[in-house]
Amino acid sequence: MSTEPDTHQPPVAPPAHGGPTLAQERRLVTEIPGPRSRELFARKRAAVPQGIGTTLPVFVTHAGGGVLVDADGNSLIDFGSGIAVTTVGNAAPRVVERVRKQVADFTHTCFMVTPYESYVRVCERLNELTPGDHEKRSFLLNSGAEAVENAVKVARHATGRQAVVVFDHGYHGRTLLTMTLTAKNMPYKHRFGPYAPEVYRMPMAYPFRWPTGPENCAAEAAAQAIDAIDKQIGAGNVAAIVVEPIQGEGGFIEPARGFLPAMAEYARANGIVFVADEVQTGFARTGHLFACEDEGVVPDVICTAKGIAGGLPLAAVTGRAELLDAVHVSGLGGTYGGNPLACEAALAVLDTIEADGLVERARRIGEITLPRLRALAGRFPIVGDVRGRGAMTAIELVAPGTTDPDAAVTGEIARRCHAEGLVVLTAGTYGNVLRFLPPLSIPDHLLEEGLSILEKAIASV
Ligand SMILES: *Cc1c(COP(=O)(O)O)cnc(C)c1O
């Protein structure tokens, strides 16, 4: 008899399939990780390089609503959404239905060889839904990094300039160019150099850590960034300013209000392409369809991925028609970009956001989450800052009474949450941020239960 674990059949209460039919409950039937997950993890270690890390070594067999079910039959509360991807929920019904039909019709032609309608429809909808009523174009790719790379290609081509401006704490991906655009050395850049040329990093308006206090942060950070661009690069040499409207991996840093509009205005006045990297913030996550709407910022180019297609790999670059049309015929593309399964999934995601009122749902999740996080900050002095919007919120952990980051306590709180069956992720330049990204399909009772687990974990350290 084979002793190899059957990852497709959880031993306890096997659900027929994922999606909303899964019992919406936290249920721990073994320790976390359980014996089957531990066996699978041993196989992973033998077959996959350690460079591919693991946040929580439970092997998932089913997921939907607000839970992940593992190979031992445990049901965990999901505050990660696979890093802000399954915003509409895992195996969301409309996604499943459209992808099922498409996979039986055709799986690939390459849009650049013989096109199909769903790709065009996704682009039409992105052109309608992204901020600004100017004429737009979109094209599709496979990953967030590819979207950011292509935004830079377009900006360089359209402006005839080379320099790219990015910010402290920024994260834009793991390819050569996007790793260069990314701020943090460990784990993203260490010994992977040399990096791409013509990338310049400016200060970010990080209110919690601004030396002269949060009130002065936006104006001073913008003035410093603009002065440094003028002095060190020359505005006329800058192709693009690339910024996340809320920084993701860098620690859910909301730029102080006024900073993004100031940088967008500077870009406009100097013929610089203002690129919003909405890969993590996009598609209802923050209580807007796109986070830059919060301050009425209209980017020239917007990069999207993660939440766009319910877990299927898809990314997009959307921007001013005159910029995107500047590139010569066949200067853009890729074999798989805008794969028909992913396009069908994206159309289902956009329908679901509209039909289920998910922008409002994200706001409601913020209204439930933020007061509870603020109460934690009131009770526990290690919670130095609470921030975020909608279903993208975080706490920053520090030595009490200071802003000194405490990555060790952050990791310990995360481990205790994991052991109790709550999937939480860490983030931050200093590794001292716990971030919360529940799927918008999570029921309120699981959201509240997850926050209670977090509270106990903080109280216990
Ligand atoms: C995740 C992320 C990326 C990279 O996306 P991949 O799909 O992992 O390549 C780029 N920018 C931001 C803001 C992200 O959060």
Side-chain angles (χ1 to χ4, degrees), residues 265-442:
E265 175 53 30
Y266 173 78
R268 200 200 53 74
N270 290 282
I272 299 168
V273 179
F274 187 79
V275 179
D277 178 349
E278 292 246 15
V279 167
Q280 192 154 160
T281 49
F283 300 103
R285 175 56 55 191
T286 65
H288 286 287
L289 202 49
F290 298 100
C292 51
E293 292 168 33
D294 191 60
E295 287 190 272
V297 170
V298 176
D300 300 308
V301 171
I302 172 164
C303 300
T304 53
K306 292 199 167 97
I308 192 174
L312 277 86
L314 188 70
V317 176
T318 301
R320 292 185 184 279
E322 65 273 22
L323 293 175
L324 270 66
D325 276 338
V327 177
H328 50 274
V329 172
S330 297
L332 302 168
T335 306
Y336 291 111
N339 168 273
L341 303 179
C343 286
E344 290 295 330
L347 294 173
V349 164
L350 294 172
D351 286 348
T352 301
I353 289 172
E354 252 167 55
D356 295 357
L358 291 187
V359 171
E360 289 68 37
R361 177 65 190 150
R363 279 191 202 164
R364 178 75 196 124
I365 287 173
E367 286 164 10
I368 294 171
T369 307
L370 284 164
R372 290 200 57 182
L373 298 180
R374 290 192 190 109
L376 293 178
R379 266 181 70 198
F380 303 107
I382 58 170
V383 181
D385 196 23
V386 172
R387 53 183 183 246
R389 299 202 287 270
M392 182 172 185
T393 57
I395 56 177
E396 177 157 359
L397 295 140
V398 293
T402 74
T403 58
D404 300 344
D406 194 338
V409 87
T410 308
E412 186 52 34
I413 294 167
R415 273 187 292 281
R416 290 183 191 197
C417 289
H418 296 165
E420 290 301 314
L422 173 67
V423 179
V424 291
L425 309 176
T426 58
T429 299
Y430 313 104
N432 67 325
V433 174
L434 284 168
R435 54 171 157 169
F436 313 112
L437 292 162
L440 305 182
S441 54
I442 194 172

Side-chain angles (χ1 to χ4, degrees), residues 123 127 135-139 317-322 324-325:
C123 294
N127 296 346
E135 197 177 342
K136 295 176 206 148
R137 302 282 185 266
S138 291
F139 62 103
V317 176
T318 301
R320 292 185 184 279
E322 65 273 22
L324 270 66
D325 276 338

Side-chain angles (χ1 to χ4, degrees), residues 83-85 142-148 170-175 178 182 243-249 277-281 303 305-306 314-315 392 435:
I83 319 188
V85 168
N142 303 295
S143 70
E146 238 189 308
V148 175
Y171 179 87
H172 301 287
R174 292 177 183 263
T175 58
T178 59
T182 292
V243 65
E244 302 157 81
I246 300 177
Q247 292 184 307
E249 304 308 300
D277 178 349
E278 292 246 15
V279 167
Q280 192 154 160
T281 49
C303 300
K306 292 199 167 97
L314 188 70
M392 182 172 185
R435 54 171 157 169

